[in-house]
Amino acid sequence: MKPRAAEAGGAAGRGCAALIRLTDSASCLVLASMAVVVCVDVVCRYALGFSTQIAEEAASLGLVALIFLSLPGAFRDGALLRVDAVYSHLASGLKNLLDVLFHLIALAVTLVYIVQLGRLAAGSFAQGIRSDMALGTPNYLPQAVMVLGLVVLLGAIVAGFLRTLRHLRNSPSAVEGAAQAKDALAK
Amino acid sequence: MTAIALILLAALAFLAAGLWIPFVIGGAAIAVIIAKKGLAGLSAVGLVTWSSANSFTLTAIPLFILMAEILLQTGLASRLYRGLAHATSRLPGGLMQTNIVGCALFSAISGSSVATAASIGTVALPELASRGYPMRMAYGSLAAGGTLGILIPPSIALIIYGTFTDSSIVRLFAAGLIPGLVLALMFSLFVGLFGGGRGRQPSGEDEDAGIVATTIDVLPVMALIVLVLCSLYLGIATPTEAAAVGSVLAFILAALFGDFSWSALKAAFHNSIRASAAILFIVVAAFLFSFALAISGVSGALTAFILSLGLGKAAFLASVAVLYLILGLFIESIAMMVITVPLLAQTFSLYAIDPIWFGVFLVILIEIGQITPPFGLNLFVIQSLNKAPYADVVLGAVPYYAILLGFLVLLVLFPSLALWLPGLIS
């Protein structure tokens, strides 16, 4: 973890790495809780003759948290899927240039998600919207967790972007990459 | 419509260039929404994303992944292979049969082709090499055996397909079982006929000493598989419940019979959340993409276009098969599914296609894509496990490619292969 943080750039990188550690731990905890809550409900239903009534709601909300809290770590560790058939064969200079563009697109998409989910959470809070299931969870809580995960993802993308910029600046093939990109565009 | 077409073309270009798939799909969806409804339309992004992520059906995915990871990290998957190796050692093809049976059984735990190929391949390849098996054949059996992972239930691909087409996951799982077993049998017959004998027995190992050891190695995982599948098919549990109970039982089995440790458990959870995030972020983005296509009128236009071609059902299915075989050359299976299924689902009623049957048809096409060069994912998995020459892996997989295509024809001619078992489920 430390070398990655250092590479990503000082205190901000270390902060981001610490946040990712936290969101990862929370995701693991959520996953374990989902398994236990659903399992307990099955046992109660078949062995004790009653249902806890909360399994479906708890598991669904757990899934929301799991997806968004585990995203930053997945992004940092390169676990997000991509078609790298062309990408992996590019020269490092061109790859770095593409990486800059990819990070910018990822930043823009994530920002739209954050703004829109933030607005949704604020709206749910203002209108007091709750789940219509047994727990009656206020919707803004899981929606805020989605925003939280996306904000940490944004941090991970920024750290990756800065790292890519540094590679681009230090890479002797940066000029060569720019020339390759120009050639590719001309073709 | 021109702006929408340009956006979709740009998305394809970014996909091919290597932009992360969920950002390609999400970015395209956002651009289409802005093009069609302006910035005000973006308010749908929050609502669609929230409602697609808040899904009880999809909760089965991380739980099935966790179950498989626990078995894998605590060595129970390796013991399953070892046990099967004893059990199948007398069959023609020897350990090649173990690859197929091992993959079929691990498919009933993992739900993923790559996980199946990687898990069985890791244990199998050193054994196969040390016993002098023809390695090209071995690579092929593992790459192809791995594809069973998304057909034999539980299947992550079928859960995602069911979510997009609003089909019963249990019926989809039931539909995948017989085709999965028949395919495993066809693979097994092939390695029996052409697998190159039984290999050498390593010195010091007694072939007959293994009956008790085999039982101890195989029984815990077999019991887990039977329990999970029976609970699903007998209507005792939903897929999510079966996955949750399976995870907890896997944990208990690992503590009793596996190499249970804190680090193994940590790795299982870590790998599970990584894989879940990678798959489910694509699914969430794809729901937004599907919404964007619907409001842009692309879905309706495509349906009208297909209708105007006047294709018969057979010609339509052949066109779909060709489309997926081509897409399978370049695009990862889950992405291929979530991009195309929302569009194709509109055409089911036009051709009276049963969505359950089509789910199996589609998954077999995706299986073929996973062993299709140049970019079949399972080929890379097997290559990377043994640093094998890529050409050997590809050539080894060629016969299985033909078997899968042959089975696809069988499925079209005899739809009851997929539809008989779901018909028994009330």
Side-chain angles (χ1 to χ4, degrees):
Chain A
M1 204 68 81
K2 273 181 183 166
R4 262 202 204 102
E7 199 183 313
R14 276 196 299 276
C16 186
L19 278 175
I20 290 175
R21 259 200 311 272
L22 268 180
T23 52
D24 270 359
S25 306
S27 299
C28 291
L29 207 62
V30 165
L31 181 57
S33 310
M34 282 163 67
V36 171
V37 168
V38 176
C39 200
V40 165
D41 187 62
V42 173
V43 171
C44 284
R45 219 168 55 227
Y46 287 101
L48 307 172
F50 71 93
S51 165
T52 61
Q53 307 284 337
I54 62 163
E56 187 170 340
E57 184 180 0
S60 305
L61 296 179
L63 182 75
V64 171
L66 171 70
I67 297 172
F68 287 87
L69 291 178
S70 52
L71 268 182
F75 179 83
R76 184 202 56 192
D77 293 352
L80 292 189
L81 298 171
R82 71 199 310 183
V83 179
D84 60 0
V86 175
Y87 177 85
S88 59
H89 290 94
L90 296 176
S92 64
L94 190 53
K95 218 185 258 187
N96 281 335
L97 283 175
L98 269 181
D99 273 341
V100 170
L101 179 63
F102 290 168
H103 279 87
L104 286 173
I105 293 172
L107 268 175
V109 172
T110 308
L111 267 174
V112 172
Y113 275 122
I114 289 173
V115 171
Q116 296 307 327
L117 281 165
R119 286 178 60 189
L120 185 74
S124 300
F125 179 74
Q127 295 168 41
I129 301 173
R130 289 172 170 272
S131 145
D132 55 3
M133 298 178 86
L135 284 174
T137 312
N139 278 2
Y140 73 86
L141 285 175
Q143 288 164 356
V145 173
M146 292 166 90
V147 176
L148 177 73
L150 286 167
V151 169
V152 182
L153 172 65
L154 194 77
I157 296 171
V158 169
F161 179 66
L162 294 176
R163 199 165 46 234
T164 309
L165 277 186
R166 202 167 17 259
H167 284 164
L168 195 64
R169 208 174 45 209
N170 297 339
S171 160
S173 55
V175 179
E176 171 208 338
Q180 284 170 358
K182 203 175 157 189
D183 286 348
L185 280 174
K187 278 175 194 169
Chain B
M1 206 47 112
T2 318
I4 309 288
L6 285 176
I7 291 168
L8 296 179
L9 280 176
L12 279 179
F14 278 119
L15 187 72
L19 175 60
W20 301 280
I21 293 168
F23 291 116
V24 174
I25 302 175
I30 289 167
V32 169
I33 292 171
I34 293 174
K36 208 66 197 170
K37 301 274 179 191
L39 286 174
L42 284 181
S43 56
V45 172
L47 204 58
V48 174
T49 305
W50 158 246
S51 50
S52 57
N54 186 12
S55 154
F56 187 61
T57 310
L58 291 175
T59 50
I61 293 177
L63 292 170
F64 275 128
I65 294 175
L66 177 65
M67 180 172 77
E69 278 294 335
I70 290 174
L71 296 178
L72 196 60
Q73 297 297 332
T74 58
L76 283 177
S78 313
R79 286 181 59 177
L80 172 73
Y81 185 87
R82 223 169 43 214
L84 288 173
H86 282 296
T88 56
S89 59
R90 290 184 185 281
L91 293 174
L95 274 189
M96 299 285 190
Q97 297 286 5
T98 316
N99 293 348
I100 302 298
V101 179
C103 284
L105 284 180
F106 199 76
S107 301
I109 305 165
S110 79
S112 149
S113 285
V114 172
T116 302
S119 309
I120 300 297
T122 308
V123 196
L125 284 171
E127 284 286 317
L128 289 156
S130 71
R131 296 188 190 196
Y133 279 89
M135 290 312 281
R136 185 178 285 178
M137 192 70 163
Y139 299 143
S141 69
L142 288 165
T147 66
L148 297 172
I150 53 169
L151 186 59
I152 293 179
S155 155
I156 290 171
L158 284 175
I159 294 174
I160 293 171
Y161 172 84
T163 313
F164 275 93
T165 57
D166 218 7
S167 309
S168 155
I169 307 296
V170 174
R171 287 168 64 84
L172 280 167
F173 280 1
L177 186 63
I178 291 178
L181 293 178
V182 172
L183 264 177
L185 191 67
M186 288 167 85
F187 290 169
S188 185
L189 277 174
F190 175 75
V191 296
L193 291 172
F194 304 103
R198 289 168 48 198
R200 291 190 304 268
Q201 195 67 14
S203 55
E205 191 171 309
D206 180 2
E207 210 174 273
D208 295 324
I211 292 175
V212 176
T214 299
T215 312
I216 293 172
D217 284 338
V218 174
L219 204 63
V221 180
M222 281 296 287
L224 182 64
I225 292 168
V226 169
L227 200 87
V228 167
L229 292 186
C230 285
S231 69
L232 277 173
Y233 295 143
L234 297 177
I236 296 169
T238 63
T240 301
E241 289 170 345
V245 173
S247 302
V248 172
L249 286 178
F251 178 84
I252 295 168
L253 287 177
L256 292 175
F257 304 103
D259 303 326
F260 191 78
S261 67
W262 172 243
S263 62
L265 196 63
K266 213 169 129 183
F269 272 91
H270 183 270
N271 293 348
S272 300
I273 63 165
R274 286 286 176 273
S276 301
I279 294 168
L280 291 168
F281 193 31
I282 292 179
V283 173
V284 168
F287 270 102
L288 190 63
F289 185 67
S290 173
F291 169 81
L293 289 182
I295 62 164
S296 69
V298 170
S299 310
L302 184 78
T303 311
F305 171 71
I306 291 173
L307 206 58
S308 73
L309 292 176
L311 297 174
K313 187 174 172 179
F316 170 74
L317 287 175
S319 317
V320 169
V322 171
L323 169 77
Y324 276 98
L325 291 176
I326 294 170
L327 286 178
L329 294 175
F330 310 103
I331 302 180
E332 195 276 332
S333 61
I334 299 291
M336 181 160 79
M337 178 180 271
V338 298
I339 292 170
T340 54
V341 165
L343 289 170
L344 283 176
Q346 315 279 328
T347 60
F348 292 165
S349 58
L350 295 178
Y351 290 99
I353 292 172
D354 188 320
I356 300 285
W357 177 86
F358 190 80
V360 176
F361 181 76
L362 180 61
V363 163
I364 294 172
L365 284 169
I366 290 174
E367 283 185 354
I368 294 173
Q370 292 193 314
I371 55 167
T372 305
F375 306 125
L377 217 49
N378 279 21
L379 301 175
F380 286 117
V381 169
I382 298 301
Q383 185 209 12
S384 63
L385 286 178
N386 208 34
K387 303 281 174 279
Y390 184 67
D392 279 0
V393 183
V394 171
L395 289 172
V398 166
Y400 299 93
Y401 192 93
I403 292 173
L404 281 164
L405 277 176
F407 184 76
L408 206 60
V409 175
L410 273 183
L411 190 68
V412 174
L413 295 176
F414 305 102
S416 54
L417 274 172
L419 293 176
W420 176 73
L421 196 54
L424 297 181
I425 296 174
S426 57

